[in-house]
Amino acid sequence: MGNYFPRWTNWVPLKIAICLGFTVVGVVAAANYYFTPKYTRVGYEPTQPVPFSHKMHVGEIGLDCRYCHSFVEVAGHSNVPTNQTCYNCHGPDRGQIKKESAKLALVREANVSGEPIKWTKVHKAPDYVYFNHSVHVNRGVSCVSCHGQVNEMEVVKQAESQSMGWCLDCHRNPENNLRPLDQITNLNYKPEQLSREEFYRNLMTRGASLQSLGEEISSSKPNKNVANLEALVELAKNTYGPKVTQLEVGKQLKANWKIHATEDCSACHR
Amino acid sequence: MKRIWHHPEVKTERRYWRSLGEYSKTPEFAEKLGREFDPALSGMDGESRENSRRDFMKVMGGVAAMAGLASCRRPLEKILPFTKHVEWVIPGKALLYATAMPRPWGATPMVVTTFEGRPTHLQGNPLHASGGGLDIFAQASVLDLYNPDRVKEVSRKGDSVSWSAFQKELRGWNEKSWAKEAGAGLAILVSPGTSPSRAALLNDLLKAYPKASLYSYAPIQSKGEASAVKAILGDGVKLLPKYSAADRVFSLDCDFVGVDAASESGVRDFMKRRAPEKGSDEMNRLYILENRYTLTGGIADHRKPIAASLIPVAAAVLAEEVGKLVGDSALQQMAASLAAAADDKLRKWIAPAAADLFGSKGKSLVLAGARHSEAVHALVLAINQALGAIGSTVLVLKVDSPVTGEITELVADLKAKKVKQLFVLAETDPIYDAPGFAEALKESGAVSVTLAMRQNHTSRQSTWVVPAAHYLESWGDARTSLGAYSIVQPMIQPLFGGVSENDLLLALLSRKQLGPIEIKVAVAPVDPKAPPAAAVAPAAPLPVLSDPSYELVKQTFTKIAGGWDEEKWNLALRDGFLPGTAYEPATGTVDAALVQTLVAKAIKLSPPSKGVFEVVLTADSSVLDGRYIDNAWLQEAPDPITKLTWDNAAWLNPRQFNELGLKADGDKIKVTLAGKEPLVIPAIACPGHASDSVTIPLGYGQTVTSDVGNLRGFDAYALRSDIGELMLADAKIEKAEGTYLLAITQENYTMEGRAQVREGTKERFDLKPDFALTEGMDSHAPPVLSLYKGRTGKKSAENPTGFDYENEHQWGMVIDLSKCIGCSACIVACQSENNIAVVGKDQVAKGRVMQWIRMDRYFSTPDGVADSPSFDDLDNPEMVNQPVACQQCESAPCEAVCPVNATVHTEEGLNSMAYNRCIGTRYCANNCPYTARRFNFFDYNKRNPLIDTEVAGVSMNNLYAGPLGEKKPQEVVQLQKNPNVTVRMRGVIEKCTYCVQRIEEAKINQRRVARDDASKLRVLADGVKTACQASCPSEAIMFGDLANDKSTINSWKASPRNYQVLKYIGTEPRTSYLARIRNVNPKMPDDRTVKTGEASSRLNAF
């Protein structure tokens, strides 16, 4: 019997094990780095040239988002306001609020020189992604779904990963994020606050039938009882509990507004 | 069981081919078939390929490492909002403005798409009577605006100086000489134009300086027609063919749908009458005699190639024949002596055509080309008079044109030293294209001022150069061919501070201060820390600065509208034209005696004979008369006939090409004319070209500053000895040494040699309207049965639309081959809309042209091809055009082979392409039977493919220099990019998307308006137009929602002529074609339609 294997082969299994160990650590580290939301910058919170506080303006004073982001309902981009918008309140010749504040020096300077203020972009979609704000806010998706509780942010930060997977989560199940159109810019909205009766009445004035609304609540058992609004509300209460839930609102809106959130590539990539 | 795909093609009487290689089935061509991207053209032998691969790996390793490091951090981006809001601008939304492009013959109405003030795309104005559609030159003109090599500052003898220096000089001339001597010594050279404002300015100028002189000049213009009309019908009158009223059209070398077009709506009006269906206007018929294939020749029902110098003879024969039929002996007599030279064949061809014209008396029309003499035009006028065409199919219109002299007079005046200051405002380049002008200018010692968009030969020789503004940057006006007053409004401040022609004329009249207007605002230094308190006082409102050019247009408007009306002005600005304005008709009667005197003056051109050639100079399909030499889109758009890009070449008959001993396209010939330097130029064998005749497109061979236009092609102007000569007799042609690389696209992207055009005669269509469905393979291929369900639905009770999709929109396209003229405007429109890169001559020659639309030009000859070419067949083949882009197959072969799902189907039937997913395997392109996919071999957007870079002493194309090459995007050109379409990078496939950005925009707008009203989600019928559809001047493309009953496309799809290309392979394309119909006259002796001695009749001759 010859000694077929040379001596050094005794160490091969150990070497392999060590290499494997390094590889595994490397893969885990890379996955951790690239596939966790850190890469997509949740929590990214750059300092802006003018310390504008959304918390104060929106949360405390109660400005509507659309006062400054005025084209969000008509254009793909949600515009950053012009200097004139700031000046409506803070201009020495206009609203005169805090007209001498040192924090607003840049705004005053820009007004004279015409040089725009260079805001730092927080939410960035890649160049090959065409996101359109108007179609979302006009069809029941609130600002808060993508941008978080901006009304509570002193400095705006990225609240969601805004990765493609995250987009698709909602496009596949839009009912988790739909809300009535008058609540789009209400960042504190909770479905529980809705009056169930009013919600269904509103849908019916927009042309929904009792039958279809009832079927959407429980399609499994045929509902002969849905003779009027009260019966419908009763049915919803039995199905979803005493308070209005997001799923209830979302499913009804999706069905009645024919929300079809496409998953086609060409929806976002052109 | 494996399906056998390669059924033999069914023999038809006609055979369709795209190049002579394909025609004679050369081994080179056979090798190319089936190769998507030709490896033989990659330009590397084995060893160098190996080396370069190693180098590539080295370089890429480094690049990858750096890229990896760089991508760890997200780049910091800034948002810069306006400080003061700009009216109407919504960031991210396009703003459309109506304007017009001033042309020598009139205005082209158009709508400009602007994004945040940048014009990016042009479209026809659908509100205007011309109904939209743009020709290729107008379509591409937006790129001229962003030419980085435009003149950017005023210069004097090559040194840049300030605007005030120029103003001072103007003032000096005015005070020292013009004011004292009533403008003596002042000469102005303009281009022909229709602007009423400019006419008013020139009038004012002549009033202020009565001794000043005006001249007008265009290198390619119909002097013959102008002088014949002037002599016969009087001054201030022009002729305009009314194609919509013409049943029979006879063209004598007039390319009226191509480069001779002189109307914004001519192509549309003519092609509208090409639909064979009953119920629409009856189909017209077109006869043409020409020396080379033109676009008009391509759509003609009967075409005969004859030498251009025989056209006067042909006109005389036609006059004689028409005279006989009408009984007009005067007409017969005046034509007799010229017609005597005609041979029997020509006479036999013209006689039945003349009878046909006479048969539609009052509804027939005869046209003559720009290059022909006043005798020909006078004869044509007399023929039209005899046919009752004047007033019905030929409109005689009163026009107001400023009284100007010819450039020949300017040359004489220069030589006589009458000119002290010469202002060249013409758009053309007289030193380059007007023989004798340069010498005269030098001799005269006059100070010259050139208003130039780009540095050209004239500007380089001139004392002063003033940067010119593009028409999208300036106020102006023009009249359309019918006389509708159109306003030219600026979209953007002059990018490089140029001034318009009107601005300069106003400055000459001391009515405008040239140069940038500086708005001085005192900027107090602001200390951000110190509270500025009331330091910032409210700024005083700035005085409204009114531009004199703007005021001028308003004044003209007031005059034409009959009084100032703010609302009317605003509406005219919105619509682009003032409704209700038109040229008045003039009464025109043709005096036979006047015609006779003109005909008698006809110079008898000796018809070319064996060995003695005529040289026909023609406007080029890409650069026209040379003015578009710097436009990369036009340069790369293949010539519609030769498919040549980036160059010009001499066109020869294939028989004579062979006889001269030339082997392949690009072999050089020497053209010798008496008293001229011989021109050595590459030649191309052009089927359908007349014998003893050579055609050379003009406008090339210029020395310019840009990489796009510098030293492209060969200068044929140098052959002229007289201004305005477009036909040169007695030329000697011989083979010259050497071959020149021509970038010809006709053998690129062939569909395995499967000709996919279907055509037939009107007669055949009337008997069997759906003949196109059962031609070729479709005559015997069994129905396609697929094991896979795919996504193609079947019509049934549950599924009335027949679509197996969830979405309410189903997009589709139909292209009417009967209406397509092959002008390639769609290619440029697509390029402008979809940010398609320009790749340069080298890359085109390697088969890497990126245009998403390929305009296939087929010649057809009788079937049965021998190994050696039959020159008899090649003398006059027929031509058909077919635009091919991605067919958006419902069961798409490309999708099945993509390993990364980068190309997938959408619910709306689109074959969509996700660039960010594509890894560049090119499997999809190899599997596409329509060869509609394009691959980005290089980063064409970042690396300028038009320049050479020196690497270690070796000069090479910038693309091949890798990281050592120049890598910078051309910033000015970037301004043109459409922000709604991704700019593709190296290594990804791209292709037609059906303008998905427009579809999505329309859908989003609809949803935005519908909000919670689910009944309004569907885009309105015909609510989306693709860029190619909107640009098509002949309305040959229809796009729309197949699932919407109200869409026009459904009526097109229902046409019996509708067929799918390569139907038998079962790809179910969404794009289909309507078969081409020719309205053939059975009495014509064309043996290509009637085969004597054979069973086949004319009915199945195609």
PDB file of all heavy atoms in Angstrom, chain B residues 318-342:
ATOM      1  N   LEU B 318     -44.276  66.539 -74.619  1.00  0.00           N
ATOM      2  CA  LEU B 318     -45.523  66.580 -73.861  1.00  0.00           C
ATOM      3  C   LEU B 318     -46.405  67.724 -74.368  1.00  0.00           C
ATOM      4  O   LEU B 318     -47.618  67.562 -74.551  1.00  0.00           O
ATOM      5  CB  LEU B 318     -45.217  66.751 -72.367  1.00  0.00           C
ATOM      6  CG  LEU B 318     -46.421  66.706 -71.431  1.00  0.00           C
ATOM      7  CD1 LEU B 318     -47.077  65.343 -71.451  1.00  0.00           C
ATOM      8  CD2 LEU B 318     -46.003  67.056 -70.007  1.00  0.00           C
ATOM      9  N   ALA B 319     -45.761  68.867 -74.637  1.00  0.00           N
ATOM     10  CA  ALA B 319     -46.514  70.018 -75.136  1.00  0.00           C
ATOM     11  C   ALA B 319     -47.151  69.679 -76.478  1.00  0.00           C
ATOM     12  O   ALA B 319     -48.317  69.994 -76.732  1.00  0.00           O
ATOM     13  CB  ALA B 319     -45.597  71.225 -75.256  1.00  0.00           C
ATOM     14  N   GLU B 320     -46.377  69.003 -77.302  1.00  0.00           N
ATOM     15  CA  GLU B 320     -46.888  68.641 -78.619  1.00  0.00           C
ATOM     16  C   GLU B 320     -48.088  67.712 -78.497  1.00  0.00           C
ATOM     17  O   GLU B 320     -49.132  67.930 -79.121  1.00  0.00           O
ATOM     18  CB  GLU B 320     -45.765  67.942 -79.392  1.00  0.00           C
ATOM     19  CG  GLU B 320     -45.641  68.403 -80.810  1.00  0.00           C
ATOM     20  CD  GLU B 320     -44.475  67.710 -81.510  1.00  0.00           C
ATOM     21  OE1 GLU B 320     -44.088  66.600 -81.087  1.00  0.00           O
ATOM     22  OE2 GLU B 320     -43.964  68.294 -82.445  1.00  0.00           O
ATOM     23  N   GLU B 321     -47.932  66.679 -77.658  1.00  0.00           N
ATOM     24  CA  GLU B 321     -49.006  65.692 -77.494  1.00  0.00           C
ATOM     25  C   GLU B 321     -50.250  66.340 -76.919  1.00  0.00           C
ATOM     26  O   GLU B 321     -51.360  66.096 -77.390  1.00  0.00           O
ATOM     27  CB  GLU B 321     -48.540  64.541 -76.583  1.00  0.00           C
ATOM     28  CG  GLU B 321     -47.414  63.690 -77.157  1.00  0.00           C
ATOM     29  CD  GLU B 321     -47.868  62.849 -78.354  1.00  0.00           C
ATOM     30  OE1 GLU B 321     -49.090  62.619 -78.485  1.00  0.00           O
ATOM     31  OE2 GLU B 321     -47.002  62.457 -79.155  1.00  0.00           O
ATOM     32  N   VAL B 322     -50.047  67.174 -75.894  1.00  0.00           N
ATOM     33  CA  VAL B 322     -51.196  67.843 -75.281  1.00  0.00           C
ATOM     34  C   VAL B 322     -51.824  68.796 -76.300  1.00  0.00           C
ATOM     35  O   VAL B 322     -53.046  68.860 -76.447  1.00  0.00           O
ATOM     36  CB  VAL B 322     -50.785  68.586 -73.997  1.00  0.00           C
ATOM     37  CG1 VAL B 322     -51.911  69.482 -73.494  1.00  0.00           C
ATOM     38  CG2 VAL B 322     -50.399  67.595 -72.912  1.00  0.00           C
ATOM     39  N   GLY B 323     -50.954  69.491 -77.042  1.00  0.00           N
ATOM     40  CA  GLY B 323     -51.443  70.405 -78.076  1.00  0.00           C
ATOM     41  C   GLY B 323     -52.319  69.676 -79.088  1.00  0.00           C
ATOM     42  O   GLY B 323     -53.378  70.156 -79.485  1.00  0.00           O
ATOM     43  N   LYS B 324     -51.870  68.486 -79.479  1.00  0.00           N
ATOM     44  CA  LYS B 324     -52.638  67.672 -80.427  1.00  0.00           C
ATOM     45  C   LYS B 324     -54.013  67.359 -79.866  1.00  0.00           C
ATOM     46  O   LYS B 324     -55.030  67.501 -80.552  1.00  0.00           O
ATOM     47  CB  LYS B 324     -51.891  66.356 -80.676  1.00  0.00           C
ATOM     48  CG  LYS B 324     -51.290  66.223 -82.081  1.00  0.00           C
ATOM     49  CD  LYS B 324     -50.692  64.844 -82.253  1.00  0.00           C
ATOM     50  CE  LYS B 324     -49.176  64.924 -82.323  1.00  0.00           C
ATOM     51  NZ  LYS B 324     -48.518  63.625 -82.212  1.00  0.00           N
ATOM     52  N   LEU B 325     -54.037  66.922 -78.582  1.00  0.00           N
ATOM     53  CA  LEU B 325     -55.292  66.477 -77.972  1.00  0.00           C
ATOM     54  C   LEU B 325     -56.241  67.655 -77.756  1.00  0.00           C
ATOM     55  O   LEU B 325     -57.447  67.538 -77.946  1.00  0.00           O
ATOM     56  CB  LEU B 325     -55.020  65.781 -76.632  1.00  0.00           C
ATOM     57  CG  LEU B 325     -54.309  64.439 -76.739  1.00  0.00           C
ATOM     58  CD1 LEU B 325     -53.684  64.054 -75.421  1.00  0.00           C
ATOM     59  CD2 LEU B 325     -55.269  63.356 -77.194  1.00  0.00           C
ATOM     60  N   VAL B 326     -55.681  68.773 -77.339  1.00  0.00           N
ATOM     61  CA  VAL B 326     -56.527  69.923 -77.052  1.00  0.00           C
ATOM     62  C   VAL B 326     -56.908  70.640 -78.346  1.00  0.00           C
ATOM     63  O   VAL B 326     -57.915  71.335 -78.403  1.00  0.00           O
ATOM     64  CB  VAL B 326     -55.778  70.902 -76.100  1.00  0.00           C
ATOM     65  CG1 VAL B 326     -56.662  72.061 -75.684  1.00  0.00           C
ATOM     66  CG2 VAL B 326     -55.286  70.164 -74.890  1.00  0.00           C
ATOM     67  N   GLY B 327     -56.092  70.436 -79.348  1.00  0.00           N
ATOM     68  CA  GLY B 327     -56.335  71.149 -80.593  1.00  0.00           C
ATOM     69  C   GLY B 327     -55.736  72.540 -80.559  1.00  0.00           C
ATOM     70  O   GLY B 327     -56.293  73.492 -81.093  1.00  0.00           O
ATOM     71  N   ASP B 328     -54.618  72.649 -79.871  1.00  0.00           N
ATOM     72  CA  ASP B 328     -53.949  73.942 -79.744  1.00  0.00           C
ATOM     73  C   ASP B 328     -52.733  73.926 -80.672  1.00  0.00           C
ATOM     74  O   ASP B 328     -51.686  73.386 -80.329  1.00  0.00           O
ATOM     75  CB  ASP B 328     -53.531  74.133 -78.278  1.00  0.00           C
ATOM     76  CG  ASP B 328     -52.931  75.504 -78.033  1.00  0.00           C
ATOM     77  OD1 ASP B 328     -52.532  76.168 -79.011  1.00  0.00           O
ATOM     78  OD2 ASP B 328     -52.853  75.909 -76.857  1.00  0.00           O
ATOM     79  N   SER B 329     -52.898  74.469 -81.847  1.00  0.00           N
ATOM     80  CA  SER B 329     -51.816  74.348 -82.826  1.00  0.00           C
ATOM     81  C   SER B 329     -50.627  75.223 -82.441  1.00  0.00           C
ATOM     82  O   SER B 329     -49.484  74.887 -82.727  1.00  0.00           O
ATOM     83  CB  SER B 329     -52.323  74.723 -84.218  1.00  0.00           C
ATOM     84  OG  SER B 329     -52.857  76.036 -84.160  1.00  0.00           O
ATOM     85  N   ALA B 330     -50.906  76.340 -81.778  1.00  0.00           N
ATOM     86  CA  ALA B 330     -49.805  77.219 -81.361  1.00  0.00           C
ATOM     87  C   ALA B 330     -48.848  76.475 -80.444  1.00  0.00           C
ATOM     88  O   ALA B 330     -47.625  76.552 -80.585  1.00  0.00           O
ATOM     89  CB  ALA B 330     -50.368  78.450 -80.652  1.00  0.00           C
ATOM     90  N   LEU B 331     -49.431  75.736 -79.510  1.00  0.00           N
ATOM     91  CA  LEU B 331     -48.623  74.967 -78.565  1.00  0.00           C
ATOM     92  C   LEU B 331     -47.800  73.925 -79.316  1.00  0.00           C
ATOM     93  O   LEU B 331     -46.611  73.734 -79.043  1.00  0.00           O
ATOM     94  CB  LEU B 331     -49.558  74.303 -77.550  1.00  0.00           C
ATOM     95  CG  LEU B 331     -48.922  73.596 -76.365  1.00  0.00           C
ATOM     96  CD1 LEU B 331     -48.067  74.537 -75.561  1.00  0.00           C
ATOM     97  CD2 LEU B 331     -49.984  72.975 -75.461  1.00  0.00           C
ATOM     98  N   GLN B 332     -48.451  73.257 -80.268  1.00  0.00           N
ATOM     99  CA  GLN B 332     -47.749  72.243 -81.046  1.00  0.00           C
ATOM    100  C   GLN B 332     -46.556  72.850 -81.780  1.00  0.00           C
ATOM    101  O   GLN B 332     -45.467  72.301 -81.773  1.00  0.00           O
ATOM    102  CB  GLN B 332     -48.703  71.627 -82.070  1.00  0.00           C
ATOM    103  CG  GLN B 332     -49.410  70.403 -81.562  1.00  0.00           C
ATOM    104  CD  GLN B 332     -50.447  69.957 -82.566  1.00  0.00           C
ATOM    105  OE1 GLN B 332     -51.556  70.486 -82.598  1.00  0.00           O
ATOM    106  NE2 GLN B 332     -50.079  69.006 -83.406  1.00  0.00           N
ATOM    107  N   GLN B 333     -46.849  73.994 -82.409  1.00  0.00           N
ATOM    108  CA  GLN B 333     -45.804  74.604 -83.237  1.00  0.00           C
ATOM    109  C   GLN B 333     -44.589  75.037 -82.424  1.00  0.00           C
ATOM    110  O   GLN B 333     -43.451  74.795 -82.784  1.00  0.00           O
ATOM    111  CB  GLN B 333     -46.374  75.817 -83.967  1.00  0.00           C
ATOM    112  CG  GLN B 333     -46.997  75.442 -85.279  1.00  0.00           C
ATOM    113  CD  GLN B 333     -47.851  76.556 -85.825  1.00  0.00           C
ATOM    114  OE1 GLN B 333     -47.695  77.704 -85.419  1.00  0.00           O
ATOM    115  NE2 GLN B 333     -48.756  76.214 -86.712  1.00  0.00           N
ATOM    116  N   MET B 334     -44.869  75.698 -81.293  1.00  0.00           N
ATOM    117  CA  MET B 334     -43.726  76.230 -80.539  1.00  0.00           C
ATOM    118  C   MET B 334     -42.854  75.119 -79.990  1.00  0.00           C
ATOM    119  O   MET B 334     -41.664  75.304 -79.762  1.00  0.00           O
ATOM    120  CB  MET B 334     -44.188  77.181 -79.431  1.00  0.00           C
ATOM    121  CG  MET B 334     -44.901  76.540 -78.286  1.00  0.00           C
ATOM    122  SD  MET B 334     -45.282  77.735 -77.010  1.00  0.00           S
ATOM    123  CE  MET B 334     -46.867  78.337 -77.464  1.00  0.00           C
ATOM    124  N   ALA B 335     -43.463  73.934 -79.788  1.00  0.00           N
ATOM    125  CA  ALA B 335     -42.688  72.833 -79.222  1.00  0.00           C
ATOM    126  C   ALA B 335     -41.984  72.030 -80.303  1.00  0.00           C
ATOM    127  O   ALA B 335     -41.072  71.268 -80.011  1.00  0.00           O
ATOM    128  CB  ALA B 335     -43.602  71.937 -78.405  1.00  0.00           C
ATOM    129  N   ALA B 336     -42.430  72.191 -81.535  1.00  0.00           N
ATOM    130  CA  ALA B 336     -42.020  71.264 -82.601  1.00  0.00           C
ATOM    131  C   ALA B 336     -40.502  71.140 -82.749  1.00  0.00           C
ATOM    132  O   ALA B 336     -39.972  70.044 -82.789  1.00  0.00           O
ATOM    133  CB  ALA B 336     -42.657  71.690 -83.909  1.00  0.00           C
ATOM    134  N   SER B 337     -39.827  72.295 -82.778  1.00  0.00           N
ATOM    135  CA  SER B 337     -38.400  72.209 -83.091  1.00  0.00           C
ATOM    136  C   SER B 337     -37.625  71.507 -81.985  1.00  0.00           C
ATOM    137  O   SER B 337     -36.703  70.744 -82.236  1.00  0.00           O
ATOM    138  CB  SER B 337     -37.831  73.610 -83.334  1.00  0.00           C
ATOM    139  OG  SER B 337     -37.818  74.321 -82.113  1.00  0.00           O
ATOM    140  N   LEU B 338     -38.025  71.782 -80.718  1.00  0.00           N
ATOM    141  CA  LEU B 338     -37.346  71.104 -79.596  1.00  0.00           C
ATOM    142  C   LEU B 338     -37.680  69.623 -79.585  1.00  0.00           C
ATOM    143  O   LEU B 338     -36.826  68.781 -79.333  1.00  0.00           O
ATOM    144  CB  LEU B 338     -37.806  71.719 -78.274  1.00  0.00           C
ATOM    145  CG  LEU B 338     -36.851  72.622 -77.515  1.00  0.00           C
ATOM    146  CD1 LEU B 338     -37.521  73.113 -76.259  1.00  0.00           C
ATOM    147  CD2 LEU B 338     -35.560  71.922 -77.193  1.00  0.00           C
ATOM    148  N   ALA B 339     -38.953  69.314 -79.892  1.00  0.00           N
ATOM    149  CA  ALA B 339     -39.421  67.934 -79.776  1.00  0.00           C
ATOM    150  C   ALA B 339     -38.820  67.042 -80.845  1.00  0.00           C
ATOM    151  O   ALA B 339     -38.822  65.821 -80.709  1.00  0.00           O
ATOM    152  CB  ALA B 339     -40.945  67.893 -79.844  1.00  0.00           C
ATOM    153  N   ALA B 340     -38.315  67.659 -81.866  1.00  0.00           N
ATOM    154  CA  ALA B 340     -37.776  66.859 -82.969  1.00  0.00           C
ATOM    155  C   ALA B 340     -36.636  65.963 -82.516  1.00  0.00           C
ATOM    156  O   ALA B 340     -36.382  64.916 -83.106  1.00  0.00           O
ATOM    157  CB  ALA B 340     -37.312  67.793 -84.083  1.00  0.00           C
ATOM    158  N   ALA B 341     -35.957  66.389 -81.451  1.00  0.00           N
ATOM    159  CA  ALA B 341     -34.802  65.610 -80.988  1.00  0.00           C
ATOM    160  C   ALA B 341     -35.202  64.352 -80.230  1.00  0.00           C
ATOM    161  O   ALA B 341     -34.349  63.546 -79.880  1.00  0.00           O
ATOM    162  CB  ALA B 341     -33.922  66.495 -80.094  1.00  0.00           C
ATOM    163  N   ALA B 342     -36.497  64.200 -79.957  1.00  0.00           N
ATOM    164  CA  ALA B 342     -36.921  63.079 -79.116  1.00  0.00           C
ATOM    165  C   ALA B 342     -36.840  61.767 -79.858  1.00  0.00           C
ATOM    166  O   ALA B 342     -37.126  61.711 -81.052  1.00  0.00           O
ATOM    167  CB  ALA B 342     -38.356  63.314 -78.641  1.00  0.00           C
TER     168      ALA B 342
END
